[in-house]
């Protein structure tokens, strides 16, 4: 199969990122994969979803990329960890999709969000799609774990109107516990660089009972976020089990099987921690 071809019978759009999609790019030759990663003429996407009101301001078209370097224990979309689970989509096809919704997105004060997976695992494709969106006058948001933020040049950052940074933890020990990667310095440094460049950010924090609901971690993130001076909003996302079936079907050991969503009180408590640092946390 040519890397630019869509996978027969699989629509580019999904009802939701919680749809399970695997092996859509498994037949793409290795040389085409390498070329795609180097040049960004083709991206590997779980899907596009339309009409999202939770992935940035207004109503969003969201491109869900595949491949991620983290292994978050609470990940809702482990099918996006592997590049070859994504559908190969030529950049021109992705831009056509964007153009289709351009007017509607503008009217609804929304835009394009590129999420994942981790979009910066496919940085050339991600930045090409953002550049095309800016040419169409569309607001752009990158939803990222921030680990590869240093790969973005200042010029590429100018095409990104908003960075929605998923903060997994503040201390290296907790970062390791949550993601399997101890070194979170690149994430911290990316945030500091965005602050120095005065680029707007949102922070997101997934609240998981007995895994991330630690006051000290949240206070440290809140203090750090407030000091950046560019964080417009913090979103506390209550853990849920909508992705559990994916872990089971992918045969990946899932140790949050018995974990319940946090209580309303626990969510309010977390929100209060961010608010008391002076951050806007709806
Ligand atoms: S960074 Fe996102 S996609 Fe990657 S493992 Fe964590 S939650 Fe999943």
């Amino acid at each position: 199969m040519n890397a630019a071809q869509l996978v027969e019978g699989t629509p580019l759009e999904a009802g939701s990122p919680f749809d399970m999609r695997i092996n859509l790019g498994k037949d793409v030759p290795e040389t085409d994969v390498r070329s795609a990663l180097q040049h960004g003429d083709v991206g590997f996407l779980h899907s596009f979803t339309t009409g999202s009101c939770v992935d940035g301001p207004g109503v969003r078209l969201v491109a869900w990329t595949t491949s991620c370097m983290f292994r978050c224990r609470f990940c809702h979309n482990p099918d996006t960890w592997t590049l070859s689970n994504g559908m190969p989509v030529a950049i021109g096809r992705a831009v056509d999709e964007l153009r289709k919704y351009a007017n509607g997105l503008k009217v609804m004060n929304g835009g394009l969000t590129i999420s994942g997976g981790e979009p910066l695992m496919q940085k050339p494709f991600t930045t090409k799609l953002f550049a095309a969106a800016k040419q169409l006058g569309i607001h752009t948001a990158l939803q990222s774990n921030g680990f590869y933020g240093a790969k973005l040049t200042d010029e590429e950052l100018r095409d990104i109107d908003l960075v929605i940074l998923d903060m997994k933890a503040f201390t290296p020990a907790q970062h390791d516990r949550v993601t399997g990667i101890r070194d979170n310095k690149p994430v911290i440094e990316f945030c500091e660089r965005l602050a120095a460049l005065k680029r707007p950010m949102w922070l997101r924090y997934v609240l998981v009972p007995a895994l991330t609901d630690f006051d000290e971690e949240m206070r440290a993130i809140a203090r750090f976020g407030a000091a950046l001076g560019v964080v417009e909003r913090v979103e506390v996302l209550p853990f849920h089990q909508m992705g559990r079936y994916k872990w089971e079907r992918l045969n990946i050991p899932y140790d949050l099987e018995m974990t319940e969503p946090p209580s309303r009180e626990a969510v309010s408590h977390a929100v209060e921690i961010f608010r008391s640092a002076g951050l806007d946390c709806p």
Side-chain angles (χ1 to χ4, degrees), residues 135-195:
Q135 291 223 325
L136 292 168
I138 295 172
H139 179 275
T140 54
L142 169 70
Q143 194 173 326
S144 169
N145 62 35
F147 195 73
Y148 275 176
K151 287 179 182 266
L152 290 166
T153 65
D154 287 357
E155 198 184 344
E156 287 163 345
L157 272 174
R158 279 194 280 275
D159 283 334
I160 303 173
D161 296 311
L162 174 69
V163 174
I164 303 171
L165 201 124
D166 293 321
M167 279 297 253
K168 311 298 182 188
F170 193 74
T171 59
Q174 173 66 359
H175 202 269
D176 188 18
R177 191 162 169 255
V178 173
T179 70
I181 291 185
R182 187 177 174 85
D183 177 20
N184 66 334
K185 212 165 147 223
V187 179
I188 302 293
E189 287 176 351
F190 182 47
C191 294
E192 290 169 343
R193 177 167 163 233
L194 291 170

